[in-house]
Amino acid sequence: MKRQKRFEKLEKRPVHLDGFVKNWDDEGLVALNGKNDPKPSIKIENGVVTEMDGKKKEDFDLIDKYIAEYGINLDNAEKTLNTDSVKIANMMCDPNVSRDEIIKYTTAMTPAKAAEVISKLNFAEMIMATQKMRPRRTPMTQVHATNTLDNPVEIAADAAEAALRGVPEEETTTAIARYAPMNAISIMVGAQSGRPGVITQCSVEEADELSLGMRGFTAYAETISVYGTDRVFTDGDDTPWSKGFLASCYASRGLKMRFTSGAGSEVMMGYTEGKSMLYLEARCIYITKASGVQGLQNGGVSCIGMPGAVVGGIREVLGENLLCMSLDVECASGCDQAFSHSDIRRTGRMIGQFIAGTDYLSSGYAAEENMDNTFAGSNMDVLDYDDYITLERDMAINGGIMPITEEESIKIRHKAAVAIQAVFDGLGLPQITDEEVEAATYGSNSNDMPKRDMVQDMKAAQDLMTRGVTVVDVIKALYDHDIKDVAEAVLKLAQQKVCGDYLQTSAVFLDGWKCTSAINNANDYKGPGTGYRVWEDKDKWDRLENVPWALDPQKLEF
């Protein structure tokens, strides 16, 4: 067949490396408005839900039962179910209807009603609604700090640079599971070197993750997964009740935590019950609300390839973020997992959240080059920093990442590398050499780092746990090596778990350990001239105006 030359060229474009499928409702390959989605309904007798979304109480599965008992504001449920879904969708977009008024409706919906309401909004309307419905007034973001060699010095240096760029929360994981305690300590020390008050986590197996938190090596958790069908839950030996119990364990020790969900997980596991991604995600969000958890990471997340493959999938992803916020739950809105070879699609993936602003625009912007991202790559990484910041500058948006100078980067990376070197020495862990400190200060990825003895590192990480090392030992190591400012920061971080101030919706620490959340920094958007405006945030606006690559026209020499 003779080819048309333009089509030959088009087929070589990066977008054609992505995967796309046509809808298949019966297997859950449909973003929203699936033909098998239930119709909204509720019946309440003597304060007990006897029917929900077309199911009688005796036919409820585990998720139905949990949501019916704990997840819905029953006082307003019948009124809400009888309210036209288009009307509720209009209220969400209308600046003249307050967020507080809308919450009365959204927290009283059933999952099917919630999915129906969200499906009435187009992409632009979802942006308008998200701007109003996010819990915290000030948008921010979260980063990943990882590398494929689990190199502690590189983790600490990358964490410090991200902290200096204004990020309030940072997450690491492992390439090899046994590295978990060392990675958790490295990101904590690095982040506190960059800016005291940044909270950190280490995403590993749930029991290990809780243990790290109990020892004081982490300040929050996020990768506690919930799902939209019973089969997926029980396949992992879990139920909504077991997840709720785990959430209570974290809260009892002053550790902030979010659940994780996201469209496509049930498709990947093969148990969709023929329902749409949005409906199943609505169930996940209601499980989160029912458990009393302060936040949720959703928006496709590691399953983004599934909604990204079907028609309207990125609209659905923004819709599930919006639904999370509409239930008055903090939202880390995905935009993390790599999902496209196309730079245009990568930008389109996050543009709705970027324009509207969310509590955490990304669940994990890569604070390392993507080759080192052990979460399987992120939608944006450190090599996108300047493009991303330029978009913030172009659109006058706070996307949560600020510019710094090369000199500032070198200084803060060196400080973090020296700090983790001291901690390793104080804890009797394998030596971090001056050569490694230098490499982490000036390097960009793990190829720039000297190789460590990984066998000895793994043995030392396990010995660290056996010896019962805690955050107190980390503080002592820093103090004994005369790195007292970082020691003080780690101590204050530990103290915050006793205070519990940051166990609130959308809570983070600003400079000076000032806790800001949806309680004392509530979103007050009510249309033009209200809500958060980055140009009214003097420090951030000055940094965006004066990016290092902007010329001063008054000082140009010809």
Side-chain angles (χ1 to χ4, degrees), residues 183-444:
N183 289 11
I185 292 170
S186 298
I187 192 173
M188 175 179 68
V189 170
Q192 296 313 309
S193 300
R195 182 182 71 81
V198 174
I199 62 174
T200 54
Q201 62 161 312
C202 182
S203 172
V204 287
E205 189 275 328
E206 289 176 356
D208 290 340
E209 196 167 344
L210 183 59
S211 176
L212 294 173
M214 297 292 190
R215 290 168 183 261
F217 298 156
T218 61
Y220 75 113
E222 180 180 61
T223 47
I224 314 303
S225 299
V226 293
Y227 306 99
T229 65
D230 273 15
R231 286 291 300 276
V232 180
F233 250 122
T234 55
D235 189 66
D237 296 324
D238 268 318
T239 71
W241 284 267
S242 67
K243 295 295 188 179
F245 177 77
L246 184 57
S248 299
C249 292
Y250 278 100
S252 71
R253 296 299 183 271
L255 289 157
K256 174 180 177 175
M257 74 99 67
R258 290 191 285 268
F259 280 167
T260 291
S261 57
S265 62
E266 299 84 8
V267 183
M268 293 184 72
M269 294 291 286
Y271 301 127
T272 66
E273 298 177 359
K275 305 300 193 299
S276 74
M277 297 181 196
L278 180 60
Y279 169 70
L280 295 180
E281 178 58 19
R283 300 184 90 199
C284 296
I285 298 168
Y286 276 86
I287 291 168
T288 303
K289 184 69 174 179
S291 299
V293 178
Q294 65 199 78
L296 179 67
Q297 171 187 218
N298 79 343
V301 194
S302 59
C303 303
I304 185 63
M306 291 298 169
V310 299
V311 63
I314 300 306
R315 172 185 168 224
E316 185 282 333
V317 167
L318 180 57
E320 67 182 67
N321 292 152
L322 170 58
L323 180 56
C324 174
M325 302 170 210
S326 299
L327 264 65
D328 210 19
V329 172
E330 81 176 46
C331 181
S333 53
C335 300
D336 51 353
Q337 181 83 34
F339 94 112
S340 178
H341 297 83
S342 162
D343 287 341
I344 293 176
R345 279 197 89 205
R346 287 199 301 126
T347 304
R349 158 72 186 91
M350 64 89 176
I351 201 67
Q353 294 84 349
F354 185 79
I355 292 171
T358 70
D359 291 319
Y360 307 94
L361 195 153
S362 174
S363 302
Y365 189 114
E368 65 287 307
E369 291 188 34
N370 256 339
M371 61 160 282
D372 270 326
N373 189 304
T374 51
F375 286 101
S378 184
N379 193 51
M380 301 277 179
D381 76 351
V382 290
L383 300 183
D384 296 310
Y385 270 156
D386 291 357
D387 299 79
Y388 185 92
I389 290 164
T390 300
L391 275 180
E392 293 179 277
R393 191 177 191 269
D394 289 343
M395 298 182 184
I397 282 171
N398 177 8
I401 295 175
M402 291 290 118
I404 60 174
T405 65
E406 182 177 353
E407 292 76 14
E408 289 171 331
S409 172
I410 291 169
K411 182 179 179 180
I412 207 67
R413 292 178 71 87
H414 184 264
K415 177 180 179 179
V418 169
I420 197 62
Q421 181 185 44
V423 169
F424 268 50
D425 182 60
L427 297 182
L429 299 173
Q431 180 188 19
I432 291 174
T433 65
D434 291 344
E435 181 189 6
E436 289 177 271
V437 170
E438 181 83 354
T441 300
Y442 291 96
S444 183

Side-chain angles (χ1 to χ4, degrees), residues 149 151 435-436 446-454 457:
L149 299 178
N151 187 293
E435 181 189 6
E436 289 177 271
S446 57
N447 289 335
D448 302 318
M449 298 297 298
K451 298 298 183 283
R452 292 179 60 81
D453 187 332
M454 296 182 72
D457 276 350

Side-chain angles (χ1 to χ4, degrees), residues 149-191:
L149 299 178
D150 288 322
N151 187 293
V153 205
E154 186 182 351
I155 290 174
D158 284 339
E161 180 177 331
L164 188 63
R165 289 179 178 274
V167 173
E169 294 190 2
E170 302 187 12
E171 176 184 20
T172 194
T173 187
T174 62
I176 300 173
R178 282 178 286 177
Y179 267 93
M182 290 205 305
N183 289 11
I185 292 170
S186 298
I187 192 173
M188 175 179 68
V189 170

Side-chain angles (χ1 to χ4, degrees), residues 74-94:
L74 298 183
D75 292 339
N76 206 33
E78 290 178 327
K79 173 187 173 183
T80 297
L81 268 288
N82 288 324
T83 302
D84 182 48
S85 293
V86 173
K87 179 180 179 180
I88 299 175
N90 270 278
M91 292 168 64
M92 294 174 78
C93 294
D94 188 348

